[in-house]
């Protein structure tokens, strides 16, 4: 089975899917890329206004790393998904129907 990494930035842009041969390979890339993004955003802010929260959700059939930019309450997502899923599968049920 092939795995995809989908990166969705806080400003609405998305990277093209990256394809991997294993979940572990995709997950490791997502962790590295998310930490690099957090570092770059913190350095570019050059002050104390860029606090970033990291959340790791690792499930049997998918994973998500979320960067929460607290200064403007925006998010960047790194989704690891099986190749056969659709874009709507990237969104967790709680995000589809907020309570």
């Amino acid at each position: 089975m092939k795995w995809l990494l989908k990166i969705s930035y806080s400003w609405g842009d998305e990277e093209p899917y990256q394809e991997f041969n294993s979940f572990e390979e995709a997950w490791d890339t997502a962790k590295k890329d998310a930490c690099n993004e957090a570092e770059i955003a913190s350095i570019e802010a050059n002050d104390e206004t860029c606090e970033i929260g990291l959340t790791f959700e690792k499930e049997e059939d998918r994973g998500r790393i979320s960067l929460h930019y607290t200064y403007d309450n925006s998010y960047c997502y790194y989704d690891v998904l099986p190749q056969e899923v659709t874009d709507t599968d990237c969104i967790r049920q709680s995000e589809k129907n907020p309570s």
Side-chain angles (χ1 to χ4, degrees):
M1 174 189 302
K2 297 285 187 181
W3 292 87
L4 302 175
L5 171 57
K6 178 183 180 184
I7 302 172
S8 306
Y9 294 107
S10 59
W11 57 88
D13 286 348
E14 293 183 353
E15 293 285 338
Y17 286 108
Q18 298 176 48
E19 187 176 298
F20 297 89
N21 292 319
S22 70
F23 176 87
E24 292 77 20
E25 184 183 7
W27 184 251
D28 287 345
T29 300
K31 288 188 299 186
K32 178 182 66 78
D33 289 355
C35 288
N36 286 340
E37 175 64 24
E39 178 184 27
I40 289 167
S42 294
I43 290 169
E44 286 177 351
N46 200 23
D47 59 25
E48 296 181 26
T49 63
C50 190
E51 185 176 276
I52 301 169
L54 285 168
T55 303
F56 296 86
E57 300 173 65
K58 190 173 179 184
E59 300 173 12
E60 187 176 305
D61 64 342
R62 67 190 62 226
R64 172 176 267 191
I65 301 171
S66 304
L67 277 68
H68 177 208
Y69 300 94
T70 59
Y71 69 93
D72 67 356
N73 200 34
S74 64
Y75 290 84
C76 180
Y77 299 109
Y78 294 76
D79 287 298
V80 175
L81 307 158
Q83 187 173 23
E84 65 271 4
V85 300
T86 66
D87 285 343
T88 57
D89 289 327
C90 295
I91 302 170
R92 298 281 191 247
Q93 191 61 36
S94 60
E95 294 170 12
K96 290 179 186 175
N97 302 311
S99 6

